[in-house]
Each structure stands twice: as structure tokens, then as C-alpha cells.
Amino acid sequence: MGTGDLTAELIPARTHSRAYVVCKEQAIVCGQAWFNETFRQLDPAVEITWHCREGAAVEPDTRLCSLSGPARPILTGERTALNFLQTLSATATRTRRYVDAVDGTPANILDTRKTLPGLRLAQKYAVSCGGGMNHRLGLYDAILIKENHIMAAGSIARAVTQARAQPGNVQVEVETETLDEVRQALEAGADVIMLDEFNLEGMREAVALVAGRCKLEASGGVDLSRIREIAKTGVNFISVGALTKHIQAVDLSLRLEA
């Protein structure tokens, strides 16, 4: 496998250029550190001036930043830097839409572990930038007892008992599919109960049953068309895999100035 940028080498090494990045649609800007680091690793002589803060909402045709410095590293880093910026901005933008949709309700928007390969921490950061909250970063920072764990342990009560016996004081969450399972998880002492694929009436019944004794998380089949109705049931959290896996990159361009 070769190295280098054959096309950029067509430009004389001493050529300096100025450029800017323009956003072509409404978006929440996210990923400035990744953008900056791309050029820092190529050539620290590339100077970047941002015209908006991280997390800012911008309109179409907004200039996000300006670059100046050696032309070669600007051209070489263009695509990688934009890939980071457009992907993380897309994650933050989608998150903000969900957060805005539940405004005024008690529900908070959570992400999931359904992130793009290699971008777990970056996308989790982007969710926070968009106003959402992070669920687990991995399998090591909280216990989530799902259907197969319950089957292997023998019951919800046994699974929660085993979870409490583990060292450390981590959150214990139980995934449930019926109101009876909600009751079992509540009696077992779960910190959070996930309502998996519950309809709206089932969520309301679960909220009434739990009566604030633990947190409730709605999950499964969540999209913008129904998220406000879900939030109005009284659940504490709504987890949305689409924040990180169903994203369409924000339309950005890097343009050299004459």
C-alpha cells in the first residue's frame, strides 16, 4: 500500500492558500476538535479560525471556518476533516430535533451503543452537543439485563441479585416486555426499567405502576413522528438508536479562495 497524496504533489510545496468551509443546510455544528486535529497532524502551519462556536445552530450558506497555510496539507486533509465534521454535525443535528420535540415534558433523550465503527466516543460527544444524554459508553460502565440475560440467569430477580453482588456501585437496568416483567423488575430493586416496544397505553400503565420508585426508559420503534406522545406518558428517558446509526451527513464544502 502506498502513502502520500499524489494529486496534492502537483501543487508547488511553497504555495500558500486560503480556504473556507461552508454549510449548505440548517445544522448544529459539531466536530471542530476532530477537524482541527486532522490538519494539525498533517501540518501545524495550517491556521484555522472558527466563525461559530461548537454546538451552534447555523443556517444554509453559513461560513463555519477559514483556513490559511500551505496548500498541500489543506488539500490533503480536506476530505478527512470534512468527514468528521459532517458526520458529527449530523449526529448533533438529529439529536437536537429529538430534544426539541420533547421540550416541556419530563423525558430526556438518550443515545445507544448503535454507533458507527470507530466513532463511539465521538458520536456520544455529538449527542451531548445536540442536547441529548449518553446511555452506556460500553459494556463496562453499567448493567443492562436483557431478555437473554434473564433467560440465562433463570429470572429477573436472580439476574438483579447477581448484578447487586458485583463489585462497584453501578446502575442496574432491566429490559421488560410486559407489565408483569415491570412489576418483577421493580420488586427486584432495579434502578431503571426499560419498556421495550410498549405501546402508549402500556407505557402509561407502567408509569402508574412504578409511581416514581425507579426510572423508566422507553425504547424500540421510536421516531420523530411519535416521540412527543411517548414523552407525554411520563417516562424519564427515551432511547433512540437513530441518533447515531440513521444519520445523513450534513452537506459541507471546503473551497479555496482565489
Side-chain angles (χ1 to χ4, degrees):
M1 181 181 294
T3 59
D5 182 347
L6 297 181
T7 310
E9 290 178 7
L10 301 176
I11 311 302
R14 293 184 179 180
T15 299
H16 277 59
S17 294
R18 299 181 64 83
Y20 62 90
V21 173
V22 63
C23 183
K24 300 179 182 178
E25 58 184 291
Q26 285 186 329
I28 302 299
V29 178
C30 181
Q32 294 181 358
W34 284 264
F35 186 94
N36 292 348
E37 181 63 15
T38 298
F39 290 105
R40 189 197 69 78
Q41 291 195 23
L42 287 169
D43 191 335
V46 176
E47 296 182 358
I48 302 168
T49 302
W50 288 93
H51 307 308
C52 61
R53 61 174 177 79
E54 184 87 327
V58 299
E59 295 298 318
D61 300 321
T62 297
R63 289 197 181 193
L64 304 184
C65 67
S66 300
L67 302 89
S68 63
R72 283 186 179 180
I74 291 176
L75 295 170
T76 296
E78 172 185 356
R79 177 43 49 200
T80 299
L82 288 180
N83 283 348
F84 280 122
L85 193 62
Q86 67 188 17
T87 300
L88 299 184
S89 292
T91 302
T93 301
R94 178 175 284 268
T95 301
R96 182 66 59 83
R97 289 173 185 155
Y98 277 83
V99 170
D100 287 346
V102 302
D103 185 46
T105 75
N108 295 284
I109 301 300
L110 293 177
D111 56 23
T112 70
R113 291 190 300 114
K114 299 172 183 176
T115 52
L116 300 178
L119 291 178
R120 169 68 56 79
L121 292 179
Q123 283 197 291
K124 291 279 189 176
Y125 163 77
V127 167
S128 298
C129 207
M133 298 175 63
N134 296 149
H135 205 285
R136 297 184 298 171
L137 290 177
L139 299 175
Y140 53 84
D141 54 349
I143 293 175
L144 176 52
I145 301 169
K146 306 189 75 166
E147 178 183 12
N148 287 334
H149 301 107
I150 296 168
M151 183 69 68
S155 70
I156 288 175
R158 288 180 184 175
V160 173
T161 298
Q162 286 293 102
R164 295 300 186 196
Q166 300 299 310
N169 184 27
V170 297
Q171 176 177 282
V172 177
E173 180 171 1
V174 178
E175 178 185 74
T176 62
E177 297 179 349
T178 67
L179 280 175
D180 182 59
E181 290 182 345
V182 171
R183 187 175 292 105
Q184 292 178 52
L186 183 63
E187 292 173 353
D191 299 310
V192 182
I193 298 175
M194 179 188 292
L195 309 176
D196 185 37
E197 301 283 356
F198 276 51
N199 59 29
L200 293 175
E201 182 58 30
M203 291 181 199
R204 285 189 282 267
E205 290 179 6
V207 169
L209 173 63
V210 168
R213 286 176 285 176
C214 73
K215 302 294 186 181
L216 287 173
E217 173 190 338
S219 180
V222 178
D223 59 32
L224 275 174
S225 68
R226 63 191 296 261
I227 195 166
R228 187 162 185 84
E229 290 304 309
I230 294 174
K232 288 164 66 176
T233 65
V235 296
N236 306 98
F237 306 108
I238 306 174
S239 54
V240 187
L243 300 183
T244 51
K245 68 171 184 169
H246 294 164
I247 59 169
Q248 180 175 336
V250 170
D251 193 1
L252 305 175
S253 289
L254 186 151
R255 299 172 182 171
L256 259 64
E257 297 181 297

